[in-house]
Amino acid sequence: MASENGCKWNKTALLVIDMQKDFVLPGAPMLVKGGEAIVPNVIKTVEVARSRGIPIIWVVREHDPLGRDVELFRRHLYGDGKPKPTSKGSVGAELVDGLVIEEDDYKLVKTRFSAFFNTNLHSYLQGIGITNLVIIGVQTPNCIRQTVFDAVALDYERVTVIIDATAAATPDVHIANIFDIKNVGVATPTLEEWCRSKEQ
């Protein structure tokens, strides 16, 4: 993995959360209305992270087609004739165009809002010496927020949310959640600001 910044970013990982077709594309069953607009910034963030030698962790939902591992409030979406969002192996579970999992990347499957809940994420990050996290994707009030608050609770030294590479159903919801996230000590730069930063 090439790096333009040597060891400056060697304790940082990028989490790309739920940038899947069933959440982002128009007409998708779980559409986050602000999701499509951030795709170029998500692509750019990944490119910059790769150039800095930052590990990329693709956090995705992949559910049992019968909905047996889905939250109770969503199980009605997995009956006969229902859309069955992000079912394992479905087109809707794929990343949107422009986002590609490369050989050195890590894919993490979750079934709840937080990327840490009932997954091996924390142990994986500890194993590769990560103390700082950069988080992007959808959506701000659910998976972004809960992952961020869990990262704070787990004492990651620096947690960053790139505010124009994350999105919610409306700008107001996004802004309100960024306000809360910032109030627990999380950095909230724009993509341009993060690209100019010299260290995590």
Side-chain angles (χ1 to χ4, degrees):
M1 188 181 302
S3 172
E4 65 179 18
N5 290 294
C7 64
K8 288 183 179 179
W9 298 88
N10 66 354
K11 293 188 177 298
T12 299
L14 174 67
L15 305 186
V16 186
I17 297 180
D18 290 353
M19 290 300 295
Q20 297 163 269
K21 293 177 180 178
D22 272 349
F23 293 119
V24 176
L25 296 185
M30 302 294 290
L31 177 65
V32 177
K33 290 183 180 177
E36 190 175 27
I38 66 165
V39 171
N41 280 0
V42 171
I43 292 171
K44 177 66 174 177
T45 305
V46 171
E47 290 173 351
V48 172
R50 290 198 197 286
S51 74
R52 290 173 168 172
I54 295 173
I56 314 295
I57 300 164
W58 301 92
V59 181
V60 297
R61 279 192 181 245
E62 287 184 359
H63 287 296
D64 167 45
L66 298 180
R68 291 170 291 194
D69 57 0
V70 181
E71 298 97 334
L72 284 173
F73 77 94
R74 286 181 172 164
R75 289 193 183 171
H76 68 283
L77 297 172
Y78 291 80
D80 289 342
K82 298 295 183 178
K84 303 180 180 182
T86 64
S87 294
K88 186 177 177 67
S90 69
V91 172
E94 296 173 357
L95 296 174
V96 296
D97 291 346
L99 297 177
V100 178
I101 301 175
E102 296 190 358
E103 185 177 356
D104 289 338
D105 299 345
Y106 189 76
K107 176 182 172 182
L108 180 94
V109 175
K110 66 180 176 65
T111 59
R112 294 295 185 269
F113 293 136
S114 174
F116 289 100
F117 183 84
N118 209 23
T119 73
N120 69 340
L121 178 60
H122 184 51
S123 61
Y124 173 77
L125 294 170
Q126 287 182 311
I128 61 172
I130 297 301
T131 59
N132 307 316
L133 297 176
V134 178
I135 298 172
I136 60 174
V138 294
Q139 67 168 319
T140 323
N142 296 350
C143 300
I144 303 298
R145 181 186 180 107
Q146 291 212 23
T147 299
V148 164
F149 274 76
D150 280 351
V152 171
L154 289 164
D155 290 330
Y156 282 86
E157 292 178 12
R158 184 170 175 84
V159 180
T160 298
V161 173
I162 300 177
I163 60 173
D164 51 355
T166 51
T170 70
D172 287 346
V173 170
H174 179 64
I175 291 166
N177 280 276
I178 293 296
F179 178 83
D180 290 343
I181 286 168
K182 192 172 183 178
N183 277 344
V184 296
V186 173
T188 55
T190 64
L191 175 56
E192 182 180 356
E193 289 168 341
W194 185 71
C195 289
R196 291 199 310 262
S197 63
K198 299 300 182 186
E199 59 184 0
Q200 169 59 24

